[in-house]
């Protein structure tokens, strides 16, 4: 597991938490911010997966 995979997973988890926090407390800003962080985390994790795949070749 490389740096991008770890950071991406962490960012995705934080984004899910923010999104759920926004839903529970009716805070639209936190909900949207959480969605953006979740998507960014998934993208970063995918980048890490690609880097790891290339490094193994």
């Amino acid at each position: 597991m490389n740096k991008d995979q770890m950071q991406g997973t962490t960012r995705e988890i934080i984004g899910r938490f923010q999104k759920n926090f926004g839903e529970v407390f009716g805070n639209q800003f936190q909900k949207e911010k959480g969605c953006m962080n979740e998507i960014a985390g998934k993208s970063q994790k995918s980048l890490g997966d690609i880097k790891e795949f290339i490094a193994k070749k």
Side-chain angles (χ1 to χ4, degrees):
M1 183 170 257
N2 62 32
K3 180 180 173 182
D4 285 316
Q5 289 172 317
M6 290 189 325
Q7 287 179 342
T9 301
T10 302
R11 194 169 187 183
E12 184 179 352
I13 291 168
I14 290 170
R16 285 184 192 164
F17 176 78
Q18 281 179 319
K19 184 174 73 172
N20 291 335
F21 179 85
E23 288 175 359
V24 169
F25 291 102
N27 188 332
Q28 187 66 26
F29 178 73
Q30 282 297 328
K31 185 177 175 183
E32 290 173 6
K33 189 175 175 183
C35 287
M36 290 188 326
N37 277 329
E38 188 175 359
I39 292 168
K42 287 180 181 180
S43 299
Q44 187 173 9
K45 184 177 180 287
S46 295
L47 176 65
D49 292 341
I50 292 168
K51 285 182 178 179
E52 188 170 302
F53 177 76
I54 292 171
K56 288 183 180 180
K57 293 281 174 172

